[in-house]
Amino acid sequence: MPVEPLTPALRRRLVLAARRAVRTSYSPYSKFKVGAAILTDTGRVFTGCNVENASYGLCNCAERTAIFSAVAAGERRLRAVVVYTPTPEATMPCGACRQVINEFGPEAVVLSVCDGQERLETVLPALLPVAFGPQDLGIREQEPRVPRRRRSPA
Ligand code: THU
């Protein structure tokens, strides 16, 4: 399923959301704050920040925090991932995040913004070519989104 191009309004919304998300970054060890915002195929936006741990290997990146929130909310398909760092230069998602993006957004647009002028934009296949993914385990169809439950009237 080809990914629809992002409109300038959507882009602005995602960048703003990623910039807001960095406020809750828990990064006392690296002091490197990251905020992320993702757009799903249903048009919902989810955000996340990096969450570190005294046991360093357990640190979770902002991108994965946002993606896992979306999946926990029933979403299964990503259109775009936006990363914000309050740094002079933009940074792209790490290898682990690229693999997680591939699971839910193999064609996702990836945009990185920062406090400087630099803006990096690409698509996931350029960041993770010839990816190992669901197809290698015999899964050809993306899992459908889990429908949202309607609130029952009080
Ligand atoms: N980090 C992210 O949150 N996203 C990235 O794309 C790169 C790295 C976090 C992990 C860790 O908390 C800190 O940045 C330094 O690596």
Side-chain angles (χ1 to χ4, degrees):
M1 185 182 56
V3 176
E4 283 173 54
L6 290 180
T7 62
L10 263 176
R11 240 166 243 270
R12 278 195 298 275
R13 187 175 159 207
L14 288 165
V15 168
L16 203 66
R19 292 180 78 102
R20 280 210 186 104
V22 85
R23 294 182 196 161
T24 48
S25 164
Y26 177 74
S27 39
Y29 307 105
S30 73
K31 313 233 185 305
F32 189 79
K33 294 175 184 288
V34 188
I38 60 163
L39 175 70
T40 69
D41 64 346
T42 61
R44 293 174 79 191
V45 173
F46 292 81
T47 60
C49 61
N50 54 333
V51 181
E52 297 189 346
N53 193 282
S55 175
Y56 294 173
L58 301 182
C59 294
N60 201 61
C61 292
E63 297 91 319
R64 278 178 286 149
T65 306
I67 295 168
F68 294 155
S69 292
V71 173
E75 300 294 315
R76 292 291 184 268
R77 199 84 184 165
L78 307 182
R79 274 180 64 188
V81 178
V82 175
V83 183
Y84 164 72
T85 50
T87 54
E89 268 135 40
T91 60
M92 275 282 155
C94 77
C97 288
R98 293 176 194 200
Q99 183 68 34
V100 172
I101 296 168
N102 181 67
E103 186 76 22
F104 301 104
E107 295 172 58
V109 171
V110 180
L111 170 64
S112 290
V113 295
C114 61
D115 286 347
Q117 293 299 306
E118 190 176 38
R119 224 172 215 256
L120 303 173
E121 182 166 342
T122 186
V123 287
L124 203 268
L127 295 177
L128 193 67
V130 209
F132 177 80
Q135 76 284 355
D136 295 302
L137 297 175
I139 294 177
R140 305 249 162 246
E141 291 246 323
Q142 183 73 27
E143 239 193 46
R145 187 168 55 87
V146 180
R148 290 169 84 176
R149 286 188 60 187
R150 288 172 163 267
R151 280 217 194 137
S152 47

